[in-house]
Amino acid sequence: MSEQSAQPEYRIEDLAHHSGATVRTIRAYQDRGLLPRPERRGRSNVYGDTHLARLRQIADLLDRGYTLASIKELLEAWDAGRGLGGVLGLVAEVDGPWTDEEADRISRAELDARFGGRPDEEAVREAIELGVLERIADREAEEFLVPSPQELAVAAELHAAGVPLSAITGHLRELRGQVEHIASRFLEFTTEHVFARYLEHRPPTDADAAEAATMVRRLRPLAQQTVDAELARAMRLFATRHLQQHLSPDAPAVREDEPRAVVLPPETIRAVQRLVGVDNVSAFIAAAAEREVQTRTLDTLASNAEHTAQIDQVT
């Protein structure tokens, strides 16, 4: 730092040390226009607190999932005097917790005890892969962070009732895909009917971003409340029907032509939505599946016919 200046001054190595970025990253940000050029002093480049603050802003936005291109748009708006406070407030609101549940910790010994007392490395590996558990490093004893204690408690209860751990993780993967589809649809719905007017400008004005953040706070609980109500309705309906089928000796069997749910990856759903629109997703997937079945049937018939012809030639 310079002793002659009232404001802190940094060499690029010092700036990297204070910001946590590498020298290479700082230079790349400069080349992309994300970071102002340093002041030239003789043969040296001099950076200030504005550069350090900008690097910390970029790191924060990257952690929240923003791309460098979108960050550049936000920072250009800030530099043009349009303000960034409202946008960052909206980012913080959306990135904040969507549940009142608080994370907890559990030791490996406690974890094994809750799931029958026998260590299961494969089950732990899958739980970490799914984010149900997160390893805590630099601990003498193996310990995990539990982002959702409720989810872990449900798994423990299911296992105590006799459900294998592999079946529990498989069910969670299936459920997660379906819930992600619901979340995606809810966001598309609210964006179309509520948030589109706040996001007309890129980036939105400070006032629009602040108002959108207020709407996020209002609408945040609606998704969970709706899912809770619909899940309760569906469970009552299907649990009653399921019990009747198992208790009544003359109950009609499940019809083969009844619609059945099929789990598809969220990426597939989004790709189909972009192709044919939200309202046509089911019809498109049904038509695509039917066409595939017909194609394979034709291929099988043609193959059988060719095989028969070959046999006839031999005989």
Side-chain angles (χ1 to χ4, degrees):
M1 288 188 182
S2 172
E3 296 179 356
Q4 300 177 348
S5 174
Q7 296 294 327
E9 295 181 349
Y10 310 93
R11 297 174 303 165
I12 191 169
E13 294 82 5
D14 300 324
L15 184 65
H17 173 73
H18 284 83
S19 67
T22 65
V23 170
R24 183 177 179 180
T25 298
I26 292 173
R27 287 178 174 147
Y29 288 167
Q30 287 176 184
D31 292 340
R32 299 189 65 158
L34 290 162
L35 194 67
R37 291 286 177 181
E39 184 179 344
R40 190 74 176 175
R41 299 271 183 85
R43 296 183 177 179
S44 301
N45 289 325
V46 177
Y47 298 83
D49 272 348
T50 54
H51 295 90
L52 181 59
R54 176 59 58 87
L55 285 171
R56 288 172 175 167
Q57 282 180 334
I58 294 171
D60 180 60
L61 290 168
L62 285 172
D63 287 342
R64 297 175 188 274
Y66 283 75
T67 65
L68 287 176
S70 59
I71 291 172
K72 185 178 181 181
E73 286 187 3
L74 292 172
L75 296 177
E76 286 175 349
W78 170 268
D79 291 338
R82 289 173 56 189
L84 191 59
V87 173
L88 293 180
L90 175 59
V91 170
E93 193 66 48
V94 171
D95 196 47
W98 287 73
T99 175
D100 295 331
E101 187 178 15
E102 295 184 1
D104 200 358
R105 296 189 176 200
I106 190 170
S107 69
R108 179 57 188 269
E110 293 171 329
L111 181 67
D112 291 341
R114 291 186 67 177
F115 287 88
R118 292 194 305 173
D120 189 329
E121 298 300 329
E122 179 62 20
V124 171
R125 185 193 65 77
E126 285 204 78
I128 292 172
E129 183 180 326
L130 287 165
V132 177
L133 298 174
E134 297 177 9
R135 289 192 186 277
I136 300 177
D138 302 326
R139 293 281 176 175
E140 293 184 5
E142 195 173 11
E143 191 175 8
F144 302 94
L145 179 71
V146 185
S148 173
Q150 291 179 4
E151 191 169 51
L152 187 66
V154 169
E157 287 293 335
L158 289 172
H159 185 257
V163 182
L165 288 174
S166 59
I168 294 173
T169 54
H171 178 71
L172 178 57
R173 290 181 190 277
E174 178 181 346
L175 180 64
R176 182 165 294 180
Q178 294 170 335
V179 172
E180 287 178 354
H181 174 62
I182 293 172
S184 176
R185 287 290 298 116
F186 187 80
L187 288 173
E188 291 168 356
F189 169 76
T190 52
T191 297
E192 179 183 357
H193 297 284
V194 179
F195 293 105
R197 59 180 176 270
Y198 301 117
L199 305 175
E200 291 176 347
H201 307 287
R202 295 191 58 187
T205 64
D206 218 34
D208 282 348
E211 192 171 348
T214 301
M215 292 301 299
V216 170
R217 284 193 295 273
R218 286 179 54 190
L219 299 180
R220 185 193 300 274
L222 297 186
Q224 184 170 351
Q225 290 170 4
T226 303
V227 171
D228 286 347
E230 284 301 308
L231 180 61
R233 182 198 64 80
M235 286 299 298
R236 183 172 63 252
L237 173 65
F238 287 103
T240 301
R241 184 183 302 172
H242 192 72
L243 186 61
Q244 289 173 347
Q245 290 173 352
H246 283 77
L247 294 183
S248 177
D250 57 350
V254 178
R255 292 175 50 187
E256 290 296 326
D257 59 348
E258 285 187 352
R260 298 186 184 182
V262 177
V263 179
L264 293 174
E267 297 80 6
T268 302
I269 297 294
R270 287 193 286 269
V272 174
Q273 287 174 349
R274 290 193 294 268
L275 185 63
V276 300
V278 174
D279 295 336
N280 298 317
V281 169
S282 297
F284 179 87
I285 292 175
E290 184 177 350
R291 185 173 67 177
E292 179 67 19
V293 170
Q294 291 175 346
T295 300
R296 294 195 179 198
T297 301
L298 292 172
D299 289 343
T300 301
L301 291 172
S303 177
N304 290 342
E306 182 179 356
H307 181 65
T308 302
Q310 291 173 350
I311 293 176
D312 291 342
Q313 288 177 356
V314 172
T315 58

